[in-house]
Structures are given as C-alpha cells and as structure tokens.
Amino acid sequence: MATSRKTLLNSLMKHKKRLDEQPMRVQFALDPNRFKRYSASASDLLLDYSKNRIDEPTMAALFDLARAVDLEGHRKAMWAGKHINVTEDRAVMHMALRYQGDKPVKIDGRDVMPDVRAVLAAMKSFTGQVRDGSIRGSTGEAFTDIVNIGIGGSDLGPVMATLALAPYTRADLRLHYVSNVDGAHLHDTLKGLDPKRTMFIIASKTFTTDETMTNASSARGWIASALGEAAVTDHFAALSTNLAACDAFGIKSDRIFGFWDWVGGRYSVWSAIGLPVALAVGFDNFEAFLKGAYDMDQHFLKTKLERNLPVIMGLLGVWYRNAWGFATHAVLPYDQRLSRFPAYLQQQDMESNGKSVDLEGKPLAIDSGPVIWGEPGTNGQHAFYQLIHQGTSVIPADFLIAANPHEQMAPHHEKLVANVFAQSEALMLGKSKEEVVAELTAQGLDKAAIKALTPHKMFPGNRPSNTLIYPKLTPEMLGSLVALYEHKVFVQGTVWNVNSYDQWGVELGKQLAKALLPKVLGTAANEGNDASTKGLLAHYHKLRGMAE
Ligand code: F6P
C-alpha cells in the first residue's frame, strides 16, 4: 500500500523541530547566500522565499514529498485532459484557453482549440466594435457604460483584472460589476447611468445562478421600461456554457459567447468570462494577459520542481499548514490596483482546497486549505499588521510589488517599495529584548519605565513571508501572477489528495435559501426550522410589519 498522506506529512516534523531551534535571523547571519539560494524566477517574475522557516534538508524533504505524491504524474494527467474533477466527471483544462502553441489540445479525444479560437475571434470582433462605436444601443448612441452581472468566478476574475489594468482602460468606456443579490448593488450601480448608453453582460457559466438571474431580470426591466422591450436585444450580451438559456433570455445569438464544462468557474477569467476585461482594456491587452498565463503554464510544466515557482509556493504552504499548523495565509499586494487580488484568490484557493474528504471520499486525516485573506499595503499596515507582527498567531504572507509604477509621481513608489521591504524584514528579524532595552536606554528612559515597556515593544520575529517582485503590472504580468496562484492551488490539492475542481460546499446554503424564501415572503407557514431560524423569521416579519 502507498504511504499515507499523514505519514508523509508527519515525516516533515523532524525538520520543524530543528528549525524551531534556529530562527531565520540566525540562518541569515550564517549564510550570506541565503537570498540567492532561496529565490527563483519565471521570466521577469522573481520569487524571494528566503524569509521562510526553511533550510536545505527541509526543502529537499518538501520536494521529496511532491515526488512521493506523484505531482508530476498528476500534472501530466491534467494536461492530458483526464477527468481529474472526479465528482463532476470533467477534465480541467483552463490552460487551453490561453494556449499559444499550434499542437492540438485534446479532451475526450477531440481537439478543443478550434472552438477556443472561434470564441476568441468572436470576442475580438465584438469588443472592437463596441469600443469603436460601430455596435451601438437601440437609439443609435455609442455605449459608454458596460455592466457585467455575474457572481463568484463570473465576477471576481474580471473585476480583479479590470481594476489591476486600469492604466490600459479608457475614460469614456466604464466597466461596472454587479454581483450581490442585494438590490443595493444594482441600484447604486445604475444610479446616474443612461439606459441608452448602457450595455449589460450576463455572465454565468450555468445561467441558473439565482443572484445573477435576479439581477439580470431587474436589469432587463430597467432597459425595457426606459427604451421598450424591443431594445433588450441591443443592450444585452451573455457569457455562458448554457447557450439555450441565453437564447431563452432573449439574447441575440451573435452576442452569446460560449465556453465549456472543462472550465471551472473560478478558472474562467481566460474564457468568454473575460469579455468585460477585453472591453475595458482592448483585445490586444487581453491577449497579452492570456500570453502571460501561458508563459507561466510553460514554466510550471517544464521547470524542474526545485526551481518551479508554483511548486515552491505550494509546498511552502503545505509546510506551514501541515507541519506548523498555521491556519491562514495573507496575500499583501503593495499595489493599489491589485486591491481585489486577495478576494479573487479567496475563491480560487478556498473553493478549490476547502475540502475535508479525499478523492476517494474518505475523511482527510490531515488539514487542507488555509484561510486566504489580505488587503493592499500600505493600508493593511495601519489596520491588521499589528497582529501579524505581535499577535499569537503566525500568518505566512505573500508580498507583491512592481519595480516600476505606471505613474511618474516620485516619491510615492519609492516609499511603497521601502515599506514592503521593511515589512518582510521586520517580520523576519523581530526585535529582541536586548534591542528594545538598548533603544529605550538610548531614549533616556528610567529603569522602571524600561522594565514596564520592554515586553510590549518586543517582536518575536521569525515570521515567514514570500516576496514576488516584477518589473511592472502589465497585462502579461497579471496573467502570469494569476496562473502562478492557480498552479499553486493545484500543487497543494495534489499533496492533500482533494478534488480542487468541485465546490459542493456552496450547495447546502443555496438549497436552504430556496426553501426559506416562501417563509420570508410570508406565503408559507413559519414552521419546520430550528428555533433560531424560526425566531429570526418571526422577528423579521415583525420588523417588516407582517403578520406571523
Ligand atoms: O459559488 C459557487 C459557484 O458555482 C462558483 O463556483 C461559480 O463561480 C459561481 O457559483 C457562479 O456560477 P455561475 O457562473 O454558473 O453563475
């Protein structure tokens, strides 16, 4: 029988024991080559992982672990179109959407590239015509506002990328994103928009998601009441795998952009779901985004594990999750335009690896995906970094920074860079008792004050981080970064032996919401639920002035 995951992961504990006794600052002092030893790059993207609790034997053990779980075999299976999404019996092939080569990419014996290229060509033509004003609204006016209605993977990727690529957008073509079923989202988005110049894109892989369909229906009503029912076809486009449902909604066939069941929702920004991004930044830039992801695919496929960025980052995450028990992981872009990158990664990572049974359906004997969270720096420094530096939880973090800003506004970027480097340094070094005492003594404090203040001013240090540094946040670099994290999730899912490509955990809430709606509306009796839910319903009815 193959060695169990638990046994494999337990074998890491001896390395933890050794590193527990040798903090990073000691290792840095002993090894002037530590940065060189523990940094790697994929084209222009450099990963510095030297500020981690690692040494050579630990890294060797992690790469051994990757080989023991047959990471390379699993990677090959994914690229060969095997149905690695076992619970939905589907291939996982979002890499085909950005494939730049000329070989066939086969799924179930069929080359999918002609279909992929046909949709890309349709997207190119459509986005070009909207941008140059040759596709217009029902009254003949050019579109100035595009509202994408979608949620989860049909929202987070496009929002994240549109914000990230703001320097490539046009002021006269504004993109808006509505996801929440909360009417406030649609209402506040439409406030001030002119129906004559507004186009809606309904983005939904299934075209059944309740939030999206509810928002789509209200948006349809908004257009129909302002411009008449006949205007709907001119003001709507759809992105979906469910072409029949798009048709039934009343969307013209040449405005329906399809994709396929081998593209997971959270991996779909490369597909037709990326249409709003292409509208915002132009198709050439969207293609550069795809190209950047393709470059990362090639890096992941062809670079040996020891120099492979997604593999290194994935294994470090496993190391902290399983050997050290760290439950969360922060993503801290020092790039305001990556403000939604952590939220995007939350779905990508937590919906993928937030699982507690293995591929065979057996309960996991090990921990799987961590909580992913984060905010851009430097804002986070004035909010939650206190806990990262001095709290009782250790939170491994990824810092992201571009060397070159888009704006020539010295000294803003220089200050941003100084801050990001300072944070990883502070986390690693910490501040010892001796250092605090020396500092307070130099400030002239008396002995009693020094004694009282010292524990508060000490930093434990030895807190791990990665730093990703790149020349500039271009469409290509953004594509590489997103693909890097996608493959990191794959690496971790392989080690944990989970299906990273299903998401049954979101179903129960959906089912219960559906069942509760008539009770919320008061058309069904408030009975059959637990006492809390029943009590909340009754109180809600009271607040709304409804009879129980
Ligand atoms: O949250 C569950 C989920 O199925 C996601 O995986 C998906 O991205 C999202 O809902 C939206 O689904 P759809 O694109 O089908 O509307």
Side-chain angles (χ1 to χ4, degrees), residues 118-119 122-123 126 135 232-234 236-240 242-258 272 275:
V119 173
M123 287 168 68
F126 180 74
I135 288 183
V232 167
T233 51
D234 288 321
F236 279 81
L239 323 172
S240 185
N242 186 350
L243 307 187
C246 301
D247 186 52
F249 187 89
I251 294 171
K252 276 199 251 179
S253 60
D254 61 350
R255 295 204 181 172
I256 302 174
F257 301 87
L275 187 94

Side-chain angles (χ1 to χ4, degrees), residues 150-156 203-213 239-241 259 264-268 273 347 351 502-503 506-507 510:
I151 197 165
S154 300
D155 169 74
L156 287 162
S204 174
K205 180 175 169 183
T206 54
F207 227 73
T208 57
T209 302
D210 192 42
E211 292 92 329
T212 300
M213 291 303 111
L239 323 172
S240 185
T241 57
F259 59 110
R266 54 194 172 274
Y267 298 89
S268 65
I273 291 294
Q347 187 199 16
E351 205 168 75
D502 62 9
Q503 58 284 318
V506 298
E507 291 305 318
K510 283 190 203 171

Side-chain angles (χ1 to χ4, degrees), residues 140 336 475:
Q336 182 58 28

Side-chain angles (χ1 to χ4, degrees), residues 126-174:
F126 180 74
T127 54
Q129 289 178 72
V130 173
R131 283 169 63 86
D132 71 16
S134 45
I135 288 183
R136 290 170 176 258
S138 58
T139 62
E141 297 211 37
F143 290 110
T144 53
D145 296 89
I146 314 279
V147 182
N148 187 82
I149 294 181
I151 197 165
S154 300
D155 169 74
L156 287 162
V159 180
M160 177 278 294
T162 305
L163 287 171
L165 301 178
Y168 303 86
T169 59
R170 275 179 12 194
D172 62 345
L173 189 60
R174 294 168 291 273

Side-chain angles (χ1 to χ4, degrees), residues 79-212:
W79 248 277
K82 296 261 157 39
H83 286 207
I84 64 166
N85 175 355
V86 289
T87 62
E88 296 178 304
D89 192 18
R90 287 175 185 168
V92 173
M93 195 49 102
H94 45 276
M95 303 81 68
L97 301 164
R98 58 220 190 190
Y99 180 58
Q100 311 277 308
D102 51 14
K103 299 207 173 83
V105 176
K106 290 197 176 171
I107 296 176
D108 301 326
R110 193 171 161 267
D111 181 12
V112 298
M113 288 315 297
D115 289 348
V116 169
R117 292 195 184 106
V119 173
L120 283 172
M123 287 168 68
K124 181 175 182 175
S125 158
F126 180 74
T127 54
Q129 289 178 72
V130 173
R131 283 169 63 86
D132 71 16
S134 45
I135 288 183
R136 290 170 176 258
S138 58
T139 62
E141 297 211 37
F143 290 110
T144 53
D145 296 89
I146 314 279
V147 182
N148 187 82
I149 294 181
I151 197 165
S154 300
D155 169 74
L156 287 162
V159 180
M160 177 278 294
T162 305
L163 287 171
L165 301 178
Y168 303 86
T169 59
R170 275 179 12 194
D172 62 345
L173 189 60
R174 294 168 291 273
L175 266 292
H176 311 266
Y177 289 88
V178 173
S179 50
N180 202 324
V181 74
D182 183 340
H185 204 174
L186 183 65
H187 174 272
D188 292 358
T189 303
L190 297 185
K191 201 162 64 182
L193 296 192
D194 178 353
K196 295 194 285 303
R197 291 184 279 123
T198 301
M199 174 186 282
F200 291 92
I201 299 171
I202 313 303
S204 174
K205 180 175 169 183
T206 54
F207 227 73
T208 57
T209 302
D210 192 42
E211 292 92 329
T212 300

Side-chain angles (χ1 to χ4, degrees), residues 390-404:
Q390 286 189 313
T392 50
S393 300
V394 174
I395 299 168
D398 293 347
F399 293 103
L400 289 91
I401 180 80
N404 297 286

